[in-house]
């Protein structure tokens, strides 16, 4: 997927080898204005670093003596000043640890569950007796319109995740190009490419700011009328805004999850602020290979306890467990689910540990039809 609005860094046209002072100052003032406007709309430090680079570049150019009076010492001083400015940018916004942090954030975002949010969630409508009631939007929503809005939310989420990946790839390529640039030891070659590379620094700073803004779910701009006119009567459709929010995926605790002879205990990590009544979908699958003639076994259970105990397993067998968040009417996107494979014990030595837990945990599991 191409990222519209940005050219590849290697396609920026280089400027003349010896631009005059007025050209440098005019360009510096223009980039400074762009950077200042971007800083007012974002609090991220990348634009602050860009302002520093451009300000010091402008100061360097203003203090440069006439070209005919320049000597080797002045040229070397300008070379070191410009080189340190680029190094400072590479060590702050584009340092590898910083980029890796955002890669980790994007990888986690791709595993999250995206949900549709309504504001307001409740609206006033008239019931069959012509009485005004306060109703939940989901109870009076047009099912077809709700599905259209959810499809739009899914499409927007897919585009957002694709753009985040592409932005990070462009930032990494830009870092490699700037790192190669600062390794140039030839002073004249370095200074001749300064006009090109200050544009690269500005472009990378703007890409970084775009990355930050895309790391949060965004508002949906839709024109669909969610509430049916049957419920509204003669009233106008209420103004409803739609946005997306995320929940982190459940991830198995590999230490606290284990299997005994005929049962297994499963535990997973989740967001700490969640309600203890959060529902989860647990899939149990018997692992078989091609040499076995027995049919495979798979079952899905809805559980509200964490940890939970799964009973009636066969001894000495491998089981694959998958945990998901249970489906809701506002879920628009989920592509990743955590799995764990456990092997039950072959000897009954662990049976004594089964009794204290099973009677309690069995009440919290409710089987659903097998998949």
């Amino acid at each position: 997927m191409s990222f519209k609005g940005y050219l590849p860094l290697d396609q920026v046209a280089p400027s003349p080898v010896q631009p005059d002072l007025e050209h440098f100052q005019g360009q510096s003032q223009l980039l400074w204005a762009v950077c200042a406007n971007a800083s007012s709309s974002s609090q991220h430090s990348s634009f602050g670093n860009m302002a520093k680079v451009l300000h010091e570049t402008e100061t360097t150019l203003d203090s440069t003596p006439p070209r005919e009076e320049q000597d080797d010492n002045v040229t070397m001083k300008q070379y070191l000043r410009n080189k340190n400015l680029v190094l400072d940018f590479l060590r702050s916004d584009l340092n590898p640890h910083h980029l890796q942090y955002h890669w980790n954030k994007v990888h986690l975002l791709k595993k999250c569950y995206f949900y549709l949010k309504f504001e307001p969630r409740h609206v006033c409508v008239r019931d069959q007796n012509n009485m005004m009631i306060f109703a939940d939007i989901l109870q009076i929503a047009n099912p077809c319109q709700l599905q259209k809005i959810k499809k739009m939310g899914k499409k927007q989420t897919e585009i957002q995740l694709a753009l985040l990946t592409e932005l990070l790839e462009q930032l990494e390529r830009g870092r490699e190009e700037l790192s190669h640039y600062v390794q140039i030891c030839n002073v004249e070659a370095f200074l001749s490419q300064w006009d090109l590379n200050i544009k690269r620094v500005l472009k990378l700073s703007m890409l970084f700011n775009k990355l930050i803004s895309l790391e949060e779910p965004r508002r949906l701009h839709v024109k669909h009328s969610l509430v049916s006119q049957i419920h509204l009567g003669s009233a106008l459709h209420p103004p409803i805004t739609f946005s997306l929010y995320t929940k982190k995926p459940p991830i198995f605790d590999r230490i606290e999850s284990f299997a005994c002879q005929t049962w297994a205990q499963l535990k997973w990590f989740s967001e700490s602020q969640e309600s203890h009544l959060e529902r989860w979908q647990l899939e149990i699958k018997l692992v078989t290979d091609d040499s076995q003639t027995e049919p495979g076994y798979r079952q899905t259970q809805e559980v509200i306890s964490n940890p939970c105990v799964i009973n009636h397993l066969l001894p000495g067998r491998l089981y694959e467990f998958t945990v998901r968040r249970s489906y809701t009417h506002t879920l628009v996107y989920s592509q990743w689910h955590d799995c764990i494979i456990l092997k039950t014990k072959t000897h009954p030595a662990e049976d004594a540990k089964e009794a204290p837990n099973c009677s309690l945990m069995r009440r919290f599991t409710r089987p659903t039809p097998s998949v």
Side-chain angles (χ1 to χ4, degrees), residues 8-113:
L9 296 176
D10 56 355
Q11 293 184 14
V12 180
S15 60
V17 174
Q18 296 292 338
D20 55 28
L21 182 58
E22 292 181 358
H23 171 74
F24 267 116
Q25 290 176 330
Q27 184 203 39
S28 181
Q29 291 172 357
L30 175 62
L31 297 183
W32 176 262
V34 173
C35 185
N37 292 334
S39 297
S40 63
S41 63
S42 174
Q43 299 298 322
H44 194 265
S45 62
S46 63
F47 284 94
N49 293 328
M50 262 307 304
K52 176 183 176 183
V53 170
L54 294 175
H55 175 69
E56 295 194 20
T57 302
E58 210 170 47
T59 303
T60 301
L61 293 171
D62 291 340
S63 61
T64 301
R67 187 174 303 165
E68 61 271 16
E69 298 179 6
Q70 290 183 1
D71 54 19
D72 292 342
N73 291 334
V74 174
T75 303
M76 180 59 67
K77 182 178 179 180
Q78 183 178 354
Y79 162 75
L80 294 175
R81 172 75 64 88
N82 293 355
K83 184 175 182 178
N84 287 333
L85 292 178
V86 179
L87 286 173
D88 182 62
F89 179 70
L90 290 174
R91 292 166 181 167
S92 56
D93 295 331
L94 294 188
N95 75 77
H97 296 291
H98 204 177
L99 290 178
Q100 185 60 49
Y101 165 79
H102 288 282
W103 270 119
N104 295 340
K105 194 171 182 179
V106 171
H107 289 325
L108 177 60
L109 200 59
K110 290 181 178 181
K111 298 177 180 180
C112 285
Y113 290 66

Side-chain angles (χ1 to χ4, degrees), residues 176-237:
E176 292 178 0
E177 292 171 351
L178 285 179
S179 298
H180 177 72
Y181 170 65
V182 297
Q183 293 174 3
I184 298 177
C185 298
N186 186 290
V187 176
E188 293 184 1
F190 181 92
L191 294 178
S192 68
Q193 299 179 28
W194 177 248
D195 190 23
L196 166 64
N197 283 283
I198 196 63
K199 292 180 181 179
R200 283 178 172 170
V201 172
L202 177 60
K203 184 180 292 290
L204 290 171
S205 186
M206 295 176 68
L207 290 178
F208 198 90
N209 187 66
K210 184 67 173 178
L211 173 74
I212 300 301
S213 67
L214 282 175
E215 285 181 337
E216 296 297 330
R218 314 190 107 190
R219 180 177 172 179
L220 281 175
H221 299 278
V222 296
K223 297 181 180 180
H224 299 291
S225 298
L226 180 61
V227 181
S228 173
Q229 200 65 36
I230 298 177
H231 298 284
L232 295 175
S234 59
L236 296 177
H237 193 281

Side-chain angles (χ1 to χ4, degrees), residues 23 30 103 122 157 212 217 228 303 309 312 340 345 350:
H23 171 74
L30 175 62
W103 270 119
H122 298 81
T157 300
I212 300 301
S228 173
V303 300
V309 169
H312 311 299
I340 187 174
K345 307 291 184 181
E350 302 290 340

